Amino acid sequence: MPIQLDPPRTLIQHIDEAGRALIGIWACAASPITAEICASCGLDYVLIDAEHSPNDLTSLLHQLHATAAYPASTIVRVPINDERLIKQYLDLGVRNLLVPMIDNVQEAQLAASRVNYPDTGVRGVGAALARASMWNRIPNYLERARETITLICQIESTQAVEDVENILAVDGVDAIFVGPADLAADLGIIGQAGDEAVKSRVIHCIKAAKAAGKPVGTNAFDPTIAREYIEAGADFVLVGADVTILARGSEALVEKFLGANT
């Protein structure tokens, strides 16, 4: 008899089980080694980035293999809201998909349609060939596929903040993630993600998501700001990144051992 497998839990299921905000880390080095280090460190989730990192389908697959052994959830950010790329990411076995630069309802609807099979969506059917269904070892995968996926739309512009309630109301948008860095840039204060103008908009989106009954995440490397967002109701918060930890840590070694000699 063929092996029968259950799909891994989704991010939403993880949030429900935890009963608290999940704390996560970016994996931006395009390395299965650093992704595995992040997944096994004790944090709740890893976000593998393909928007601002040198990832392709093969490197993503290696990282999905590396993180699968650990209880941390894995989110993957696709570089663009594109039907073909989203299909490929889902077929690789991405369960929690973050789609960037969702500015309005129409873009959210497109993202939602791209994670659904027909007749409610446009995802191409190749489950028997794909890791997503574990090569048809997940029973009734085609009928169950959508329940195995969390679609997260990224809110990172003033337009998106203004339309966030309507974006949250789109059928198929399971969660939102607020991006303070691009939001700061859109407000004309690039590099100032901790500015009150940015924070107030992030908190507005958190409140909107709570009212809509959908999970909301954000990014805050400053621990004080991260705690503010958690207290405001954020369900999943990124508090660091593999590359920045390596960069700052190596700089600290320079300062400690070489100091003024550099």
Side-chain angles (χ1 to χ4, degrees):
M1 179 178 177
I3 292 173
Q4 303 287 285
L5 299 173
D6 289 324
R9 67 181 175 188
T10 64
L11 180 71
I12 289 179
Q13 291 168 332
H14 192 173
I15 291 169
D16 289 342
E17 290 171 9
R20 58 166 175 80
L22 302 184
I23 306 301
I25 186 171
W26 292 95
C28 302
S31 163
I33 295 173
T34 56
E36 185 169 9
I37 291 169
C38 291
S40 62
C41 74
L43 290 173
D44 297 305
Y45 71 99
V46 177
L47 200 161
I48 301 172
D49 184 40
E51 184 186 15
H52 295 297
S53 302
N55 273 306
D56 58 20
L57 294 174
T58 301
S59 68
L60 286 173
L61 180 58
H62 292 330
Q63 290 168 88
L64 291 172
H65 286 156
T67 61
Y70 303 97
S73 291
T74 301
I75 304 172
V76 179
R77 180 164 68 176
V78 69
I80 190 173
N81 187 4
D82 178 82
E83 180 180 334
R84 291 165 296 178
L85 269 180
I86 288 174
K87 172 179 64 179
Q88 290 178 302
Y89 276 45
L90 295 179
D91 282 351
L92 279 182
V94 172
R95 308 291 178 185
N96 306 298
L97 184 74
L98 176 59
V99 181
M101 297 293 181
I102 299 296
D103 289 329
N104 53 53
V105 166
Q106 292 72 28
E107 291 173 358
Q109 290 171 334
L110 284 172
S113 73
R114 289 164 179 164
V115 301
N116 274 349
Y117 286 125
D119 58 352
T120 57
V122 296
R123 179 182 175 188
V125 181
L129 311 175
R131 182 173 180 267
S133 71
M134 302 308 292
W135 305 279
N136 274 350
R137 290 170 180 159
I138 295 177
N140 303 313
Y141 176 77
L142 290 176
E143 293 78 13
R144 300 172 60 196
R146 189 59 185 86
E147 72 187 51
T148 71
I149 298 165
T150 297
L151 172 63
I152 310 159
C153 286
Q154 187 158 348
I155 307 297
E156 46 191 334
S157 69
T158 53
Q159 179 186 355
V161 171
E162 291 168 359
D163 208 20
V164 67
E165 288 86 358
N166 293 324
I167 291 170
L168 283 160
V170 171
D171 187 24
V173 171
D174 299 311
I176 61 169
F177 180 88
V178 190
D182 277 296
L183 183 53
D186 198 46
L187 289 168
I189 49 174
I190 192 168
Q192 300 180 53
D195 188 273
E196 290 299 327
V198 177
K199 289 166 57 179
S200 66
R201 286 166 172 81
V202 174
I203 291 172
H204 168 78
C205 291
I206 291 172
K207 291 180 178 178
K210 305 313 287 184
K214 293 185 177 181
V216 52
T218 190
N219 182 68
F221 287 7
D222 182 322
T224 300
I225 297 175
R227 291 187 179 96
E228 285 183 47
Y229 292 152
I230 292 168
E231 290 173 5
D235 298 290
F236 55 108
V237 180
L238 290 162
V239 296
D242 55 356
V243 291
T244 57
I245 290 170
L246 178 58
R248 302 295 83 79
S250 58
E251 290 162 5
L253 290 175
V254 172
E255 179 64 27
K256 182 175 182 179
F257 289 100
L258 298 175
N261 295 323
T262 59

